[in-house]
Amino acid sequence: MHFDCDVLVAGSGAGGLAAAVTARKAGLGVLVAEKEPLFGGTTALSGGWLWIPNHPLQKEIGAADSMQDAATYLLHEAGEKYDAERVDAFLRAGPRMVEFFTRETAVQFDASATFPDYHPQAPGGRPGGRSIVARAFDGRDLGKKLKWLRPPLPELTVFGIMIGSGAELVHFMRWSKSARSALFVARRLLGHGAAQFFHGRGVRLTNGNALAGRLLKSALDAGVELWNRSAVKELVRQGNVVVGAVLERDGHQVRVRARKGVVLACGGFPQEAARRARLFPHAEHFSPAPPGNTGDGLRLAQAAGARLDESLPNAAAWVPVSRVPRGGGAWGLFPHFIDRAKPGVIAVTRKGVRFVNEGNSYHDFVQALLKTGATHAWLVTDHRAIRAYGLGFVKPRPLPLGPHLKSGYLLQGRTIEELARKAEIDAALEDTVARYNENAKMGSDPIFRKGENAYNRFYGDPDIKPNPCVAPLAQPPFYAVRVEIGDLGTYAGILTNGHAQVLDEQKRPIPGLYAAGNDALSIMGGNYPGPGITLGPAMTFGWLAGRHLAGQD
Ligand SMILES: Cc1cc2nc3c(=O)[nH]c(=O)nc-3n(C[C@H](O)[C@H](O)[C@H](O)COP(=O)(O)OP(=O)(O)OC[C@H]3O[C@@H](n4cnc5c(N)ncnc54)[C@H](O)[C@@H]3O)c2cc1C
């Protein structure tokens, strides 16, 4: 079978759909081939935050920013891996990309004035204002095609409800403290119950599910051709020009001619065991990314003569994850974004010692863990904190702890000593907690300085004074959850230029071949500067690819 189009896009995450919608809006005929039965990739599972310095919504929230400061910050973050051409392209195009999508498509955003850069004290860093999140989306706008969309990670929902990470999350955390929050939560529960009854799933999509849903809606509205169960297997070249690809669609071979070119947006290699084994410093790894992200884009590009860069100090964006039993021996993964920063929560290795400011970013947390040589850690807390904030997949009061204790997800000890024994943590834990508590009573953490930067405090508890991230572990029983090393997506990837064109070994563009999202080498130099640093560039370089394909640079 044959199919003709102007642009073939491999992958239906943020990178792929941004490229597809942009090219289609510019008048090109676009086919998106998605390997999996469902569209949306990791993007649909994500927080849906985009880091876009100088984004157009900054005016609304009164945030001050400058291109120069953003470039200084990225230079500080990426160090010797700083790619001036692509950073410049990203910083210039990011705000225009946001303008384009909000003006011409169903993709809409809300801005946060307070979500800080992850290293807000670094040169050019900001205490907030650079990140935007996909606005909540009514899935019914997709009609019957709502079932085409990859649902969120079950572990990140509450009774199947997707809780938005801004004001909504605050309401859910404070429902027992505020009548307004209690009313909000009651309304959400009722709305979700009705949606389950009528549609068999939640229809109020938030975060990454809203982003993927909005991109899917935009692609459908624009007339992008969307094929699921269609893996791009091989690129077709005439000379060195990429002119199409061979797909495997529902077990059949399809030859696709792409007159203008092919965009690789297969979401990197979080599920490719061999490359992981080669590039990750640790063996035991747990990725929440979907199963189809197996490095196809990198292999396709390399076979077409592309240059890969695997030299970053961190080949992926790390995140601590815990394994949540789903019953019958199966388990899901819970990424620990927030709980580590709460007052009364510490992290220790098997040796019973702390190793990091627990409130730092997930990427920094895992880097510190890797430096100790350990491959897993324990989050340890007391009864007050677990009932107030939950811990990982364990939800705060009034939801019961019993099922988590029974499943083995959560360990409990009447004393720290008993907890250490159950978790097989060295007895040194007792001394660690005693020393931590001594300072924590005054809200201080002289060794790791938890709570001392804006990012730590963003996820702290403002009611705990003087330090919203530090409180003693004083009220028995005590609890522990084991965390492993996971990722949110990979950083190593295909070398590209400021138009998202794939470069060959001599760093010349390969005509007709583009890469966006995690298939392309990250511009963050192996670091994680702020909320949304993968989706921001993914959509921006997708947009740039779409424009370049349409001759609009
Ligand atoms: C829980 C969680 C929260 C996160 N939160 C954020 C956040 O808030 N902000 C942020 O910036 N990042 C976040 N991330 C990371 C972010 O989700 C990813 O970096 C991003 O979605 C990658 O986008 P992509 O377009 O490159 O790939 P994906 O969204 O993964 O899409 C790639 C698609 O390509 C398909 N594919 C693979 N091979 C082929 C092939 N051969 N042919 C056709 N299709 C193929 C895959 O099936 C997949 O659907 C989060 C990640 C997780 C897991």
Side-chain angles (χ1 to χ4, degrees), residues 11-15 33-36 40-43 45-49 230-232 265-267 292-293 296 335 337 488 517-518 532-535:
S12 66
E34 167 54 56
K35 176 183 184 179
E36 294 277 303
T42 323
T43 305
L45 309 178
S46 76
W49 286 92
S230 302
V232 174
C266 303
N293 291 28
D296 295 5
F337 295 125
L488 298 176
N518 293 347
I533 57 86
T534 71
L535 288 171

PDB file of all heavy atoms in Angstrom, residues 11-15 33-36 40-43 45-49 230-232 265-267 292-293 296 335 337 488 517-518 532-535, ligand 1:
ATOM      1  N   GLY A  11       5.238   9.777  15.630  1.00  0.00           N
ATOM      2  CA  GLY A  11       5.024   9.992  17.068  1.00  0.00           C
ATOM      3  C   GLY A  11       4.010  11.083  17.326  1.00  0.00           C
ATOM      4  O   GLY A  11       3.990  12.112  16.656  1.00  0.00           O
ATOM      5  N   SER A  12       3.145  10.847  18.340  1.00  0.00           N
ATOM      6  CA  SER A  12       2.035  11.774  18.576  1.00  0.00           C
ATOM      7  C   SER A  12       2.097  12.418  19.958  1.00  0.00           C
ATOM      8  O   SER A  12       1.077  12.689  20.567  1.00  0.00           O
ATOM      9  CB  SER A  12       0.707  11.029  18.417  1.00  0.00           C
ATOM     10  OG  SER A  12       0.586  10.067  19.449  1.00  0.00           O
ATOM     11  N   GLY A  13       3.311  12.664  20.469  1.00  0.00           N
ATOM     12  CA  GLY A  13       3.444  13.450  21.697  1.00  0.00           C
ATOM     13  C   GLY A  13       3.496  14.931  21.361  1.00  0.00           C
ATOM     14  O   GLY A  13       3.100  15.359  20.264  1.00  0.00           O
ATOM     15  N   ALA A  14       4.001  15.720  22.320  1.00  0.00           N
ATOM     16  CA  ALA A  14       4.027  17.174  22.139  1.00  0.00           C
ATOM     17  C   ALA A  14       4.881  17.581  20.934  1.00  0.00           C
ATOM     18  O   ALA A  14       4.497  18.468  20.158  1.00  0.00           O
ATOM     19  CB  ALA A  14       4.576  17.838  23.403  1.00  0.00           C
ATOM     20  N   GLY A  15       6.042  16.938  20.784  1.00  0.00           N
ATOM     21  CA  GLY A  15       6.924  17.304  19.676  1.00  0.00           C
ATOM     22  C   GLY A  15       6.266  17.029  18.334  1.00  0.00           C
ATOM     23  O   GLY A  15       6.230  17.893  17.440  1.00  0.00           O
ATOM     24  N   ALA A  33       1.984   9.293  12.170  1.00  0.00           N
ATOM     25  CA  ALA A  33       1.975   7.850  12.399  1.00  0.00           C
ATOM     26  C   ALA A  33       2.335   7.592  13.850  1.00  0.00           C
ATOM     27  O   ALA A  33       3.389   8.031  14.313  1.00  0.00           O
ATOM     28  CB  ALA A  33       2.986   7.167  11.487  1.00  0.00           C
ATOM     29  N   GLU A  34       1.463   6.936  14.570  1.00  0.00           N
ATOM     30  CA  GLU A  34       1.703   6.610  15.987  1.00  0.00           C
ATOM     31  C   GLU A  34       1.762   5.089  16.120  1.00  0.00           C
ATOM     32  O   GLU A  34       0.836   4.388  15.731  1.00  0.00           O
ATOM     33  CB  GLU A  34       0.589   7.208  16.864  1.00  0.00           C
ATOM     34  CG  GLU A  34       0.545   6.703  18.304  1.00  0.00           C
ATOM     35  CD  GLU A  34       1.852   6.849  19.064  1.00  0.00           C
ATOM     36  OE1 GLU A  34       2.365   7.974  19.141  1.00  0.00           O
ATOM     37  OE2 GLU A  34       2.363   5.826  19.568  1.00  0.00           O
ATOM     38  N   LYS A  35       2.850   4.644  16.711  1.00  0.00           N
ATOM     39  CA  LYS A  35       3.100   3.207  16.847  1.00  0.00           C
ATOM     40  C   LYS A  35       2.097   2.500  17.770  1.00  0.00           C
ATOM     41  O   LYS A  35       1.695   1.358  17.544  1.00  0.00           O
ATOM     42  CB  LYS A  35       4.507   3.101  17.430  1.00  0.00           C
ATOM     43  CG  LYS A  35       5.047   1.782  17.785  1.00  0.00           C
ATOM     44  CD  LYS A  35       6.444   2.063  18.403  1.00  0.00           C
ATOM     45  CE  LYS A  35       7.196   0.841  18.736  1.00  0.00           C
ATOM     46  NZ  LYS A  35       8.523   1.175  19.309  1.00  0.00           N
ATOM     47  N   GLU A  36       1.685   3.191  18.824  1.00  0.00           N
ATOM     48  CA  GLU A  36       0.835   2.588  19.855  1.00  0.00           C
ATOM     49  C   GLU A  36      -0.648   2.696  19.476  1.00  0.00           C
ATOM     50  O   GLU A  36      -1.012   3.532  18.631  1.00  0.00           O
ATOM     51  CB  GLU A  36       1.047   3.326  21.174  1.00  0.00           C
ATOM     52  CG  GLU A  36       2.423   3.161  21.753  1.00  0.00           C
ATOM     53  CD  GLU A  36       2.554   1.870  22.533  1.00  0.00           C
ATOM     54  OE1 GLU A  36       1.774   1.664  23.471  1.00  0.00           O
ATOM     55  OE2 GLU A  36       3.425   1.068  22.182  1.00  0.00           O
ATOM     56  N   GLY A  40      -0.711  10.369  22.100  1.00  0.00           N
ATOM     57  CA  GLY A  40      -0.362  11.254  23.219  1.00  0.00           C
ATOM     58  C   GLY A  40       0.966  10.980  23.895  1.00  0.00           C
ATOM     59  O   GLY A  40       1.510  11.863  24.548  1.00  0.00           O
ATOM     60  N   GLY A  41       1.484   9.744  23.772  1.00  0.00           N
ATOM     61  CA  GLY A  41       2.813   9.432  24.307  1.00  0.00           C
ATOM     62  C   GLY A  41       2.992   9.792  25.772  1.00  0.00           C
ATOM     63  O   GLY A  41       2.028   9.849  26.555  1.00  0.00           O
ATOM     64  N   THR A  42       4.224  10.064  26.146  1.00  0.00           N
ATOM     65  CA  THR A  42       4.544  10.472  27.524  1.00  0.00           C
ATOM     66  C   THR A  42       3.846  11.788  27.843  1.00  0.00           C
ATOM     67  O   THR A  42       3.497  12.060  29.003  1.00  0.00           O
ATOM     68  CB  THR A  42       6.068  10.680  27.695  1.00  0.00           C
ATOM     69  OG1 THR A  42       6.777   9.719  26.930  1.00  0.00           O
ATOM     70  CG2 THR A  42       6.479  10.584  29.138  1.00  0.00           C
ATOM     71  N   THR A  43       3.654  12.593  26.814  1.00  0.00           N
ATOM     72  CA  THR A  43       3.026  13.902  26.995  1.00  0.00           C
ATOM     73  C   THR A  43       1.687  13.771  27.716  1.00  0.00           C
ATOM     74  O   THR A  43       1.357  14.578  28.590  1.00  0.00           O
ATOM     75  CB  THR A  43       2.838  14.565  25.610  1.00  0.00           C
ATOM     76  OG1 THR A  43       4.127  14.605  24.968  1.00  0.00           O
ATOM     77  CG2 THR A  43       2.265  15.959  25.725  1.00  0.00           C
ATOM     78  N   LEU A  45       0.851  11.675  29.855  1.00  0.00           N
ATOM     79  CA  LEU A  45       1.022  11.244  31.252  1.00  0.00           C
ATOM     80  C   LEU A  45       1.617  12.349  32.106  1.00  0.00           C
ATOM     81  O   LEU A  45       1.703  12.228  33.328  1.00  0.00           O
ATOM     82  CB  LEU A  45       1.990  10.053  31.320  1.00  0.00           C
ATOM     83  CG  LEU A  45       1.721   8.866  30.407  1.00  0.00           C
ATOM     84  CD1 LEU A  45       2.813   7.823  30.584  1.00  0.00           C
ATOM     85  CD2 LEU A  45       0.363   8.264  30.726  1.00  0.00           C
ATOM     86  N   SER A  46       2.023  13.427  31.455  1.00  0.00           N
ATOM     87  CA  SER A  46       2.919  14.390  32.107  1.00  0.00           C
ATOM     88  C   SER A  46       2.174  15.435  32.922  1.00  0.00           C
ATOM     89  O   SER A  46       0.948  15.479  32.962  1.00  0.00           O
ATOM     90  CB  SER A  46       3.760  15.090  31.036  1.00  0.00           C
ATOM     91  OG  SER A  46       2.967  16.054  30.355  1.00  0.00           O
ATOM     92  N   GLY A  47       2.968  16.322  33.532  1.00  0.00           N
ATOM     93  CA  GLY A  47       2.395  17.448  34.268  1.00  0.00           C
ATOM     94  C   GLY A  47       1.859  18.533  33.352  1.00  0.00           C
ATOM     95  O   GLY A  47       1.116  19.406  33.798  1.00  0.00           O
ATOM     96  N   GLY A  48       2.262  18.493  32.086  1.00  0.00           N
ATOM     97  CA  GLY A  48       1.740  19.461  31.118  1.00  0.00           C
ATOM     98  C   GLY A  48       2.317  20.863  31.258  1.00  0.00           C
ATOM     99  O   GLY A  48       1.767  21.820  30.719  1.00  0.00           O
ATOM    100  N   TRP A  49       3.454  20.986  31.963  1.00  0.00           N
ATOM    101  CA  TRP A  49       4.100  22.301  32.135  1.00  0.00           C
ATOM    102  C   TRP A  49       5.100  22.541  31.022  1.00  0.00           C
ATOM    103  O   TRP A  49       5.809  21.629  30.611  1.00  0.00           O
ATOM    104  CB  TRP A  49       4.821  22.373  33.489  1.00  0.00           C
ATOM    105  CG  TRP A  49       3.870  22.524  34.636  1.00  0.00           C
ATOM    106  CD1 TRP A  49       3.316  21.515  35.366  1.00  0.00           C
ATOM    107  CD2 TRP A  49       3.351  23.750  35.155  1.00  0.00           C
ATOM    108  NE1 TRP A  49       2.477  22.039  36.321  1.00  0.00           N
ATOM    109  CE2 TRP A  49       2.488  23.408  36.223  1.00  0.00           C
ATOM    110  CE3 TRP A  49       3.524  25.102  34.843  1.00  0.00           C
ATOM    111  CZ2 TRP A  49       1.795  24.360  36.966  1.00  0.00           C
ATOM    112  CZ3 TRP A  49       2.848  26.050  35.587  1.00  0.00           C
ATOM    113  CH2 TRP A  49       1.996  25.683  36.629  1.00  0.00           C
ATOM    114  N   SER A 230       0.740   2.326  13.939  1.00  0.00           N
ATOM    115  CA  SER A 230       1.501   2.531  12.698  1.00  0.00           C
ATOM    116  C   SER A 230       2.915   2.979  13.051  1.00  0.00           C
ATOM    117  O   SER A 230       3.156   4.152  13.321  1.00  0.00           O
ATOM    118  CB  SER A 230       0.835   3.611  11.839  1.00  0.00           C
ATOM    119  OG  SER A 230      -0.501   3.250  11.545  1.00  0.00           O
ATOM    120  N   ALA A 231       3.831   2.012  13.068  1.00  0.00           N
ATOM    121  CA  ALA A 231       5.213   2.323  13.449  1.00  0.00           C
ATOM    122  C   ALA A 231       6.040   2.667  12.222  1.00  0.00           C
ATOM    123  O   ALA A 231       5.980   1.950  11.212  1.00  0.00           O
ATOM    124  CB  ALA A 231       5.820   1.129  14.166  1.00  0.00           C
ATOM    125  N   VAL A 232       6.795   3.748  12.312  1.00  0.00           N
ATOM    126  CA  VAL A 232       7.748   4.055  11.239  1.00  0.00           C
ATOM    127  C   VAL A 232       8.927   3.097  11.413  1.00  0.00           C
ATOM    128  O   VAL A 232       9.554   3.045  12.472  1.00  0.00           O
ATOM    129  CB  VAL A 232       8.206   5.524  11.312  1.00  0.00           C
ATOM    130  CG1 VAL A 232       9.296   5.787  10.281  1.00  0.00           C
ATOM    131  CG2 VAL A 232       7.019   6.447  11.103  1.00  0.00           C
ATOM    132  N   ALA A 265       9.680  12.172  16.050  1.00  0.00           N
ATOM    133  CA  ALA A 265       9.253  12.629  17.384  1.00  0.00           C
ATOM    134  C   ALA A 265       8.761  11.412  18.163  1.00  0.00           C
ATOM    135  O   ALA A 265       7.634  11.362  18.635  1.00  0.00           O
ATOM    136  CB  ALA A 265       8.166  13.689  17.266  1.00  0.00           C
ATOM    137  N   CYS A 266       9.653  10.414  18.263  1.00  0.00           N
ATOM    138  CA  CYS A 266       9.283   9.114  18.847  1.00  0.00           C
ATOM    139  C   CYS A 266       9.549   9.059  20.347  1.00  0.00           C
ATOM    140  O   CYS A 266       9.491   7.991  20.962  1.00  0.00           O
ATOM    141  CB  CYS A 266      10.038   7.989  18.148  1.00  0.00           C
ATOM    142  SG  CYS A 266       9.760   7.939  16.371  1.00  0.00           S
ATOM    143  N   GLY A 267       9.881  10.204  20.958  1.00  0.00           N
ATOM    144  CA  GLY A 267       9.946  10.270  22.419  1.00  0.00           C
ATOM    145  C   GLY A 267      11.177   9.649  23.048  1.00  0.00           C
ATOM    146  O   GLY A 267      11.122   9.204  24.201  1.00  0.00           O
ATOM    147  N   GLY A 292       6.106   2.146  24.037  1.00  0.00           N
ATOM    148  CA  GLY A 292       6.569   2.303  22.645  1.00  0.00           C
ATOM    149  C   GLY A 292       7.787   3.190  22.469  1.00  0.00           C
ATOM    150  O   GLY A 292       8.349   3.278  21.375  1.00  0.00           O
ATOM    151  N   ASN A 293       8.220   3.861  23.553  1.00  0.00           N
ATOM    152  CA  ASN A 293       9.346   4.797  23.422  1.00  0.00           C
ATOM    153  C   ASN A 293      10.674   4.051  23.512  1.00  0.00           C
ATOM    154  O   ASN A 293      11.394   4.123  24.502  1.00  0.00           O
ATOM    155  CB  ASN A 293       9.262   5.878  24.503  1.00  0.00           C
ATOM    156  CG  ASN A 293       8.094   6.819  24.282  1.00  0.00           C
ATOM    157  OD1 ASN A 293       7.081   6.447  23.700  1.00  0.00           O
ATOM    158  ND2 ASN A 293       8.215   8.047  24.743  1.00  0.00           N
ATOM    159  N   ASP A 296      13.329   4.330  18.685  1.00  0.00           N
ATOM    160  CA  ASP A 296      13.199   4.146  17.221  1.00  0.00           C
ATOM    161  C   ASP A 296      13.714   5.368  16.458  1.00  0.00           C
ATOM    162  O   ASP A 296      14.384   5.236  15.427  1.00  0.00           O
ATOM    163  CB  ASP A 296      11.731   3.920  16.812  1.00  0.00           C
ATOM    164  CG  ASP A 296      11.161   2.631  17.372  1.00  0.00           C
ATOM    165  OD1 ASP A 296      11.862   1.963  18.150  1.00  0.00           O
ATOM    166  OD2 ASP A 296      10.008   2.301  17.027  1.00  0.00           O
ATOM    167  N   PRO A 335       5.722   8.815  40.439  1.00  0.00           N
ATOM    168  CA  PRO A 335       6.855   9.739  40.463  1.00  0.00           C
ATOM    169  C   PRO A 335       6.744  10.695  41.651  1.00  0.00           C
ATOM    170  O   PRO A 335       5.697  11.303  41.855  1.00  0.00           O
ATOM    171  CB  PRO A 335       6.716  10.516  39.139  1.00  0.00           C
ATOM    172  CG  PRO A 335       5.552   9.915  38.407  1.00  0.00           C
ATOM    173  CD  PRO A 335       4.738   9.159  39.399  1.00  0.00           C
ATOM    174  N   PHE A 337       7.249  13.941  43.005  1.00  0.00           N
ATOM    175  CA  PHE A 337       7.560  15.337  42.670  1.00  0.00           C
ATOM    176  C   PHE A 337       7.494  16.234  43.912  1.00  0.00           C
ATOM    177  O   PHE A 337       8.260  17.165  44.047  1.00  0.00           O
ATOM    178  CB  PHE A 337       6.548  15.875  41.653  1.00  0.00           C
ATOM    179  CG  PHE A 337       6.598  15.202  40.308  1.00  0.00           C
ATOM    180  CD1 PHE A 337       5.455  14.622  39.755  1.00  0.00           C
ATOM    181  CD2 PHE A 337       7.772  15.157  39.584  1.00  0.00           C
ATOM    182  CE1 PHE A 337       5.496  14.011  38.516  1.00  0.00           C
ATOM    183  CE2 PHE A 337       7.824  14.547  38.340  1.00  0.00           C
ATOM    184  CZ  PHE A 337       6.679  13.965  37.805  1.00  0.00           C
ATOM    185  N   LEU A 488      11.837  10.848  33.408  1.00  0.00           N
ATOM    186  CA  LEU A 488      10.654  11.487  32.815  1.00  0.00           C
ATOM    187  C   LEU A 488      10.791  11.562  31.304  1.00  0.00           C
ATOM    188  O   LEU A 488       9.888  12.045  30.605  1.00  0.00           O
ATOM    189  CB  LEU A 488      10.507  12.908  33.357  1.00  0.00           C
ATOM    190  CG  LEU A 488      10.288  13.026  34.865  1.00  0.00           C
ATOM    191  CD1 LEU A 488      10.248  14.475  35.271  1.00  0.00           C
ATOM    192  CD2 LEU A 488       8.995  12.331  35.267  1.00  0.00           C
ATOM    193  N   GLY A 517      11.156  17.067  20.213  1.00  0.00           N
ATOM    194  CA  GLY A 517      10.896  16.312  21.436  1.00  0.00           C
ATOM    195  C   GLY A 517      12.150  15.564  21.849  1.00  0.00           C
ATOM    196  O   GLY A 517      13.271  15.947  21.499  1.00  0.00           O
ATOM    197  N   ASN A 518      11.971  14.473  22.584  1.00  0.00           N
ATOM    198  CA  ASN A 518      13.125  13.800  23.185  1.00  0.00           C
ATOM    199  C   ASN A 518      13.942  12.977  22.209  1.00  0.00           C
ATOM    200  O   ASN A 518      14.968  12.423  22.597  1.00  0.00           O
ATOM    201  CB  ASN A 518      12.658  12.932  24.359  1.00  0.00           C
ATOM    202  CG  ASN A 518      12.140  13.777  25.501  1.00  0.00           C
ATOM    203  OD1 ASN A 518      12.344  14.993  25.514  1.00  0.00           O
ATOM    204  ND2 ASN A 518      11.463  13.154  26.443  1.00  0.00           N
ATOM    205  N   GLY A 532       8.986  22.242  33.168  1.00  0.00           N
ATOM    206  CA  GLY A 532       8.572  22.274  31.755  1.00  0.00           C
ATOM    207  C   GLY A 532       9.708  22.337  30.767  1.00  0.00           C
ATOM    208  O   GLY A 532       9.496  22.695  29.609  1.00  0.00           O
ATOM    209  N   ILE A 533      10.928  21.899  31.207  1.00  0.00           N
ATOM    210  CA  ILE A 533      12.070  22.074  30.288  1.00  0.00           C
ATOM    211  C   ILE A 533      12.173  20.986  29.216  1.00  0.00           C
ATOM    212  O   ILE A 533      13.053  21.030  28.381  1.00  0.00           O
ATOM    213  CB  ILE A 533      13.416  22.218  31.031  1.00  0.00           C
ATOM    214  CG1 ILE A 533      13.683  21.030  31.933  1.00  0.00           C
ATOM    215  CG2 ILE A 533      13.470  23.533  31.807  1.00  0.00           C
ATOM    216  CD1 ILE A 533      14.325  19.867  31.291  1.00  0.00           C
ATOM    217  N   THR A 534      11.279  20.008  29.235  1.00  0.00           N
ATOM    218  CA  THR A 534      11.260  19.100  28.066  1.00  0.00           C
ATOM    219  C   THR A 534      10.103  19.461  27.136  1.00  0.00           C
ATOM    220  O   THR A 534      10.274  19.519  25.932  1.00  0.00           O
ATOM    221  CB  THR A 534      11.203  17.602  28.448  1.00  0.00           C
ATOM    222  OG1 THR A 534       9.931  17.278  28.975  1.00  0.00           O
ATOM    223  CG2 THR A 534      12.275  17.227  29.438  1.00  0.00           C
ATOM    224  N   LEU A 535       8.921  19.745  27.718  1.00  0.00           N
ATOM    225  CA  LEU A 535       7.774  20.050  26.847  1.00  0.00           C
ATOM    226  C   LEU A 535       7.913  21.424  26.181  1.00  0.00           C
ATOM    227  O   LEU A 535       7.449  21.609  25.050  1.00  0.00           O
ATOM    228  CB  LEU A 535       6.476  19.984  27.656  1.00  0.00           C
ATOM    229  CG  LEU A 535       6.043  18.572  28.064  1.00  0.00           C
ATOM    230  CD1 LEU A 535       4.882  18.626  29.043  1.00  0.00           C
ATOM    231  CD2 LEU A 535       5.663  17.743  26.838  1.00  0.00           C
TER     232      LEU A 535
HETATM  233  C1  LIG B   1       4.705  11.718  35.112  1.00  0.00           C
HETATM  234  C2  LIG B   1       5.450  12.624  34.187  1.00  0.00           C
HETATM  235  C3  LIG B   1       5.321  14.007  34.342  1.00  0.00           C
HETATM  236  C4  LIG B   1       6.012  14.862  33.477  1.00  0.00           C
HETATM  237  N1  LIG B   1       5.785  16.211  33.567  1.00  0.00           N
HETATM  238  C5  LIG B   1       6.403  17.051  32.704  1.00  0.00           C
HETATM  239  C6  LIG B   1       6.100  18.440  32.703  1.00  0.00           C
HETATM  240  O1  LIG B   1       5.201  18.916  33.404  1.00  0.00           O
HETATM  241  N2  LIG B   1       6.819  19.240  31.865  1.00  0.00           N
HETATM  242  C7  LIG B   1       7.788  18.749  31.035  1.00  0.00           C
HETATM  243  O2  LIG B   1       8.406  19.531  30.312  1.00  0.00           O
HETATM  244  N3  LIG B   1       8.035  17.411  30.960  1.00  0.00           N
HETATM  245  C8  LIG B   1       7.349  16.558  31.757  1.00  0.00           C
HETATM  246  N4  LIG B   1       7.562  15.210  31.649  1.00  0.00           N
HETATM  247  C9  LIG B   1       8.401  14.722  30.544  1.00  0.00           C
HETATM  248  C10 LIG B   1       7.600  14.832  29.231  1.00  0.00           C
HETATM  249  O3  LIG B   1       6.359  14.204  29.390  1.00  0.00           O
HETATM  250  C11 LIG B   1       8.339  14.205  28.044  1.00  0.00           C
HETATM  251  O4  LIG B   1       9.649  14.680  28.024  1.00  0.00           O
HETATM  252  C12 LIG B   1       7.637  14.583  26.748  1.00  0.00           C
HETATM  253  O5  LIG B   1       6.271  14.243  26.811  1.00  0.00           O
HETATM  254  C13 LIG B   1       8.272  13.934  25.529  1.00  0.00           C
HETATM  255  O6  LIG B   1       7.536  14.351  24.397  1.00  0.00           O
HETATM  256  P1  LIG B   1       7.835  13.706  22.982  1.00  0.00           P
HETATM  257  O7  LIG B   1       6.949  14.366  22.009  1.00  0.00           O
HETATM  258  O8  LIG B   1       9.297  13.737  22.732  1.00  0.00           O
HETATM  259  O9  LIG B   1       7.475  12.160  23.176  1.00  0.00           O
HETATM  260  P2  LIG B   1       6.156  11.398  23.647  1.00  0.00           P
HETATM  261  O10 LIG B   1       5.146  12.311  24.209  1.00  0.00           O
HETATM  262  O11 LIG B   1       6.600  10.253  24.473  1.00  0.00           O
HETATM  263  O12 LIG B   1       5.571  10.849  22.268  1.00  0.00           O
HETATM  264  C14 LIG B   1       6.317   9.959  21.488  1.00  0.00           C
HETATM  265  C15 LIG B   1       5.373   9.030  20.746  1.00  0.00           C
HETATM  266  O13 LIG B   1       6.089   8.394  19.693  1.00  0.00           O
HETATM  267  C16 LIG B   1       5.587   7.087  19.534  1.00  0.00           C
HETATM  268  N5  LIG B   1       6.556   6.270  18.767  1.00  0.00           N
HETATM  269  C17 LIG B   1       7.670   5.675  19.218  1.00  0.00           C
HETATM  270  N6  LIG B   1       8.288   5.045  18.200  1.00  0.00           N
HETATM  271  C18 LIG B   1       7.552   5.238  17.092  1.00  0.00           C
HETATM  272  C19 LIG B   1       7.653   4.834  15.733  1.00  0.00           C
HETATM  273  N7  LIG B   1       8.672   4.073  15.304  1.00  0.00           N
HETATM  274  N8  LIG B   1       6.697   5.214  14.855  1.00  0.00           N
HETATM  275  C20 LIG B   1       5.634   5.972  15.263  1.00  0.00           C
HETATM  276  N9  LIG B   1       5.467   6.370  16.558  1.00  0.00           N
HETATM  277  C21 LIG B   1       6.429   6.025  17.437  1.00  0.00           C
HETATM  278  C22 LIG B   1       5.383   6.628  20.954  1.00  0.00           C
HETATM  279  O14 LIG B   1       4.493   5.528  21.011  1.00  0.00           O
HETATM  280  C23 LIG B   1       4.828   7.900  21.604  1.00  0.00           C
HETATM  281  O15 LIG B   1       3.409   7.908  21.576  1.00  0.00           O
HETATM  282  C24 LIG B   1       6.873  14.325  32.469  1.00  0.00           C
HETATM  283  C25 LIG B   1       6.980  12.935  32.315  1.00  0.00           C
HETATM  284  C26 LIG B   1       6.272  12.089  33.158  1.00  0.00           C
HETATM  285  C27 LIG B   1       6.382  10.599  32.949  1.00  0.00           C
END
